Amino acid sequence: MAATPFRFGTEFAGKAAESESRNKMETFIAIAAILLGLLGLVGSVVPGIAGPPFSWAGLLVLYIWGSGTNSSGDPLSLTILLVWLGITIFLWIMDYVVPGYFTKLTGGSKYGGWGATIGLFLGLIYPPVGMILGALGGAFIGELVFARKDPATSVKAAFGAFLGFLASTGAKLIACAVMMFYIVIYAF
């Protein structure tokens, strides 16, 4: 009879260790998802880091490991994951289209768009002011020097490129913030 309490205690200790291990894994998954979401938020503002794909990867981590449930206890659904995948792909494409569209809309050429992008990267030395002035200055120089346009037209095109940059950055930031909201809801 003495073996029964010992066996019961061993089973209980094993289940407690398994539960503790599961809690550690869920905590690790939640932290990984949140870090991906934060990297997505940073990437929506900083050029060269793909913001929305990182935020979506945070949702994917919660979905794959199934640790994410909202306050009602419902797990992250495949529908939410696929809708945000579609939005992420759309934003990735629009990130290349919108600045050029705004530049063309204001009378600019491809040189203004390229100049804005190059100026933006050079402006990373002094963010965020350097990024803004770099995009404006790069678009202006691209139009003035390479497209051989007059200064007034170059300024107009530079502002178009800058507005395109702001529009695409704003859309990415909003999408990443909403995905971060979902990550926090389903991680805790």
Side-chain angles (χ1 to χ4, degrees), residues 10 16 29 35 48 70 90 112 128-129 134 137 147 160 188:
T10 306
I29 289 168
L35 288 175
N70 61 13
F90 176 76
V129 175
F188 296 108

Side-chain angles (χ1 to χ4, degrees), residues 45 69-70 73 75 87 95 134 170:
V45 178
T69 58
N70 61 13
I87 292 170
D95 198 27

Side-chain angles (χ1 to χ4, degrees), residues 47-163:
I49 301 174
F54 279 111
S55 291
W56 186 80
L59 288 174
L60 182 64
V61 164
L62 289 176
Y63 179 79
I64 288 175
W65 277 278
S67 66
T69 58
N70 61 13
S71 60
S72 302
D74 300 325
L76 181 64
S77 72
L78 181 61
T79 303
I80 290 174
L81 190 68
L82 292 177
V83 165
W84 280 106
L85 175 62
I87 292 170
T88 298
I89 291 170
F90 176 76
L91 287 172
W92 179 67
I93 293 168
M94 293 310 293
D95 198 27
Y96 294 101
V97 174
V98 169
Y101 174 75
F102 274 85
T103 303
K104 294 276 187 191
L105 193 65
T106 56
S109 67
K110 64 180 179 181
Y111 298 109
W114 279 105
T117 303
I118 292 168
L120 187 71
F121 280 111
L122 293 176
L124 286 173
I125 297 169
Y126 299 105
V129 175
M131 293 167 44
I132 294 168
L133 294 177
L136 279 168
F140 177 76
I141 291 170
E143 290 295 324
L144 189 66
V145 174
F146 296 104
R148 302 183 195 280
K149 294 193 175 178
D150 62 280
T153 306
S154 297
V155 166
K156 186 178 174 185
F159 276 108
F162 178 67
L163 288 175

